[in-house]
Amino acid sequence: MTANDEYVIEILENVGLISHQQGVEALQAAQGMDKAVVDVLAEYKFATKPDVLKALANQFGMEFISLSGVNIDQEIIDLVPGEIARRYHVIPIYRTENTITVALSDPLDVETLDSLRYVLRCDVAGVVAVSEEIEAALTRFYPTTGSTVASMLEEMTEGSVQAPGETPKLEGEDNVTDADAPIIKLVSLIILEAFRARASDIHLEPLERKFRVRYRIDGVLHEVESPPKRLQSAIISRVKIMANMSIAEKRLPQDGRIQINVMGRDLDLRVSSVPCNHGETIVMRILDKESLSLGLPKLGFFSDDQQTFERLIGLSDGIILVTGPTGSGKTTTLYACLNHINKPDRKIITVEDPVEYQMSGINQVQVRSDIGLTFGAALRSILRQAPNIIMIGEIRDLETAEIAVNASLTGHLVFSTLHTNDAPSAVTRLIDIGVKPFLVASSTRAIMAQRLVRKICERCKEQVQPTDAELRIFGGLSGQLETAQLYRGRGCSECNQTGYRGRLGIFEIFLINDEVRHMIYERVSASHLRARARELGMRTLREDGIRKVIAGQTTLEEVVRTTMGDAN
């Protein structure tokens, strides 16, 4: 917290945008979470960022603008070099005589304007815009002009990189030679291009005759320019060095982590290596810390589901489970929940394997089975820390499940995940693990299944009519589609010709009421639980997907792809 934060709160209270109590709470949270008070106000839903910035801009006689979709002439962009624009986090908007007007995100930051006047040697005026929109504009109008992987590979001639085994000094950064430098630069470019492409994973796969590189973008793998096979060992060694993994061990799987700053963003890369027939295959999962600031609406909740879910995560005790296959966004949802309820008056502890995101204000425990710090051992210990809220990365065995149940029954709110196809199946899964049915019934408050579907690209969005084949697939739901206006993405440079950009969740929320508890106690099958839950108003994954198709957010093809096992 800074003096500026207190000044911001004072202004917002004076104009009636927030109450005094909200201001006090936001200041305390900003100090405890080490965040800007503007971000805290938005996260706690006391005031949106645009509203806050408009109020501050009015206070200082500045204009507030939205950069979304704004086209700026190239001659204006050329007035401020890209290096300067990125350093000061500004975008030039227009010029009048000898004055350049730039958009900045902090109206109290007079030092930036003074520095720009000195650097650009002209008068500089400021308007206010949301920081995320400025970041997007910087990426759009100032594309990095450095090397690409393709151009780098063209420069790397047959003799420019030594063969594996001839570069022993690659083991340490202090011993980098001229021969090592191209590999170091190439690996950095592979990571940079993955980030630019919004990839969630980088796959380095040794095949018999080639070394394949693929990026997972919006849940779908795309093959990109791949290095020659002769560079395979050098690239894999470089990645393992960056992740603090042993380059001498090639027979056993290894895990590591890379922390890196890319285009001003702090990224964590979770690295996994597994020995295969033709070498070690490497997967780097890109963990963008900025995704932690996702609010519940950005996950894909409609207002009714969001209201239900906010009520659930506001409970004082019980278990709330999120289910789905690997890659369905369960961890992101749990972190968004913790982010929503992370306040100074609550103690939150997580037990994870591994800790994917490091969150301010939350105590996170990394499981280490090699020294005996298992899920069970960690959970038994943290209960003596008197937490209000516990997050367990995954319920994998009876010991973990029993401790989670006991914690929920002794006044703790417990979040966790399970690998099941739908929400009601989680009940039978817990019983199969060995938890007594009456404990499942009394401790569980709700179970939410989820999937991720790709969002239609807004830039190339166009209307489309559903085909007869698509209507037949949806059976009883087809009546809703016949009269709806549906959309698809035509494909453009913004979405890399896929028609999709970004992802959102579709959800199935199974509420445990007294009737359902009695059914669980009676060991009713998952199919009977599902049938009764639907009678009580549970919306299935496919039904929620149809709602998002009708709302123009995704396509029928995506819903079919992600809900093939969901009956109508």
Side-chain angles (χ1 to χ4, degrees):
M1 185 181 69
T2 66
N4 277 353
D5 286 342
E6 295 179 349
Y7 187 37
V8 167
I9 292 298
E10 182 181 346
I11 292 172
L12 299 180
E13 290 178 9
N14 289 339
V15 300
L17 190 60
I18 61 172
S19 67
H20 177 69
Q21 181 59 38
Q22 289 173 330
V24 171
E25 189 173 343
L27 284 173
Q28 291 174 344
Q31 185 175 18
M33 299 163 62
D34 193 24
K35 289 185 176 181
V37 72
V38 175
D39 293 327
V40 173
L41 289 168
E43 289 177 20
Y44 284 15
K45 296 186 177 178
F46 292 159
T48 65
K49 274 190 180 182
D51 286 344
V52 170
L53 293 177
K54 282 178 187 176
L56 295 176
N58 289 335
Q59 179 71 20
F60 296 104
M62 300 174 71
E63 180 187 356
F64 174 82
I65 67 169
S66 173
L67 294 177
S68 179
V70 171
N71 285 319
I72 304 172
D73 291 341
Q74 187 60 43
E75 62 179 21
I76 301 298
I77 293 296
D78 293 340
L79 295 174
V80 180
E83 181 183 351
I84 301 299
R86 289 194 181 89
R87 183 190 308 168
Y88 294 102
H89 202 253
V90 297
I91 285 289
I93 304 298
Y94 51 82
R95 177 178 61 179
T96 55
E97 297 183 356
N98 295 324
T99 301
I100 299 174
T101 298
V102 300
L104 70 167
S105 59
D106 185 358
L108 281 73
D109 188 8
V110 293
E111 291 182 4
T112 289
L113 295 178
D114 288 339
S115 298
L116 286 171
R117 291 184 186 107
Y118 176 78
V119 171
L120 300 176
R121 300 184 181 279
C122 67
D123 195 15
V124 178
V127 295
V128 183
V130 177
S131 59
E132 288 81 1
E133 292 186 357
I134 293 177
E135 186 64 42
L138 285 170
T139 303
R140 178 182 174 191
F141 293 112
Y142 293 101
T144 304
T145 57
S147 300
T148 64
V149 170
S151 62
M152 181 71 190
L153 291 174
E154 290 178 4
E155 296 172 7
M156 296 173 69
T157 60
E158 190 72 31
S160 65
V161 178
Q162 297 177 12
E166 297 176 0
T167 56
K169 292 185 178 180
L170 195 63
E171 295 182 12
E173 290 291 344
D174 295 334
N175 297 321
V176 173
T177 67
D178 291 340
D180 303 329
I183 291 296
I184 293 172
K185 187 175 182 182
L186 177 59
V187 171
S188 298
L189 284 172
I190 289 173
I191 296 173
L192 175 60
E193 288 201 353
F195 174 74
R196 287 176 184 161
R198 302 177 298 105
S200 59
D201 302 276
I202 304 170
H203 294 251
L204 307 178
E205 301 167 319
L207 304 178
E208 183 178 5
R209 298 177 180 272
K210 64 182 293 189
F211 182 53
R212 183 168 65 180
V213 177
R214 294 193 290 176
Y215 297 157
R216 189 182 297 278
I217 304 170
D218 294 335
V220 178
L221 283 168
H222 299 269
E223 186 168 351
V224 296
E225 185 77 23
S226 298
K229 181 75 172 176
R230 62 186 171 84
L231 301 182
Q232 172 181 310
S233 296
I235 291 173
I236 289 176
S237 294
R238 173 60 188 166
V239 172
K240 291 172 73 174
I241 288 169
M242 293 174 69
N244 292 318
M245 298 157 65
S246 171
I247 62 172
E249 180 56 76
K250 300 181 180 180
R251 301 165 301 170
L252 296 174
Q254 295 186 69
D255 292 311
R257 198 176 197 114
I258 299 172
Q259 292 185 321
I260 191 170
N261 186 282
V262 176
M263 296 172 64
R265 299 266 285 274
D266 290 326
L267 300 181
D268 280 347
L269 277 69
R270 198 177 80 199
V271 185
S272 170
S273 74
V274 174
C276 294
N277 287 346
H278 305 290
E280 294 173 277
T281 179
I282 299 276
V283 175
M284 293 181 277
R285 171 162 287 187
I286 301 174
L287 306 173
D288 185 359
K289 292 181 179 180
E290 291 200 6
S291 66
L292 289 181
S293 60
L294 280 177
L296 294 180
K298 291 186 179 179
L299 295 178
F301 284 110
F302 278 150
S303 57
D304 53 349
D305 284 342
Q306 182 182 337
Q307 186 176 4
T308 299
F309 199 61
E310 285 183 351
R311 177 179 60 81
L312 290 170
I313 65 178
L315 296 174
S316 59
D317 58 25
I319 297 177
I320 297 175
L321 293 174
V322 181
T323 75
T326 301
S328 60
K330 301 186 298 296
T331 302
T332 300
T333 296
L334 287 184
Y335 275 113
C337 292
L338 295 183
N339 196 45
H340 184 78
I341 60 181
N342 182 18
K343 297 184 180 180
D345 61 343
R346 297 171 180 171
K347 184 176 180 70
I348 303 175
I349 301 182
T350 73
V351 182
E352 305 169 68
D353 183 20
V355 174
E356 293 197 4
Y357 296 96
Q358 296 175 1
M359 296 185 69
S360 177
I362 292 179
N363 304 278
Q364 296 172 273
V365 179
Q366 167 73 58
V367 169
R368 292 188 59 188
S369 300
D370 56 329
I371 60 172
L373 185 59
T374 62
F375 270 103
L379 284 170
R380 281 192 297 272
S381 298
I382 68 172
L383 287 177
R384 292 191 285 272
Q385 297 281 315
N388 302 103
I389 299 162
I390 299 169
M391 195 268 271
I392 305 170
E394 182 185 347
I395 293 179
R396 301 180 179 180
D397 51 38
L398 177 59
E399 181 185 25
T400 306
E402 285 183 334
I403 296 174
V405 167
N406 290 333
S408 70
L409 294 175
T410 53
H412 302 86
L413 181 62
V414 179
F415 294 96
S416 191
T417 69
L418 271 179
H419 287 278
T420 60
N421 289 328
D422 62 5
S425 296
V427 171
T428 54
R429 171 66 177 148
L430 288 174
I431 295 173
D432 290 343
I433 288 175
V435 183
K436 298 291 188 294
F438 74 91
L439 289 176
V440 176
S442 57
S443 62
T444 309
R445 295 288 179 265
I447 303 166
M448 184 177 76
Q450 73 173 65
R451 300 288 189 277
L452 291 176
V453 295
R454 291 182 290 175
K455 294 167 61 177
I456 299 172
C457 174
E458 291 295 330
R459 185 172 177 180
C460 60
K461 191 174 184 179
E462 64 180 11
Q463 295 183 0
V464 65
Q465 291 296 324
T467 65
D468 293 338
E470 288 173 329
L471 293 176
R472 283 196 299 271
I473 290 174
F474 287 94
L477 300 174
S478 60
Q480 303 175 43
L481 299 171
E482 290 175 345
T483 57
Q485 180 57 64
L486 308 185
Y487 297 88
R488 70 171 182 183
R490 184 176 60 256
C492 63
S493 59
E494 190 79 13
C495 60
N496 199 25
Q497 306 303 323
T498 63
Y500 299 99
R501 184 175 174 85
R503 291 190 291 177
L504 76 159
I506 55 175
F507 307 98
E508 177 178 285
I509 303 177
F510 179 31
L511 301 176
I512 311 296
N513 60 18
D514 291 338
E515 181 180 349
V516 173
R517 288 191 183 92
H518 181 73
M519 295 176 71
I520 296 172
Y521 181 74
E522 295 292 332
R523 290 179 178 265
V524 170
S525 67
S527 59
H528 283 87
L529 275 176
R530 182 177 179 83
R532 184 56 185 149
R534 294 192 65 183
E535 291 173 0
L536 293 171
M538 183 186 79
R539 190 180 295 109
T540 67
L541 288 166
R542 178 161 287 188
E543 288 169 343
D544 193 45
I546 290 295
R547 289 208 303 167
K548 279 149 190 173
V549 170
I550 294 173
Q553 296 178 336
T554 189
T555 63
L556 290 174
E557 180 184 4
E558 274 296 288
V559 174
V560 171
R561 182 179 67 86
T562 55
T563 62
M564 286 300 293
D566 188 11
N568 286 323

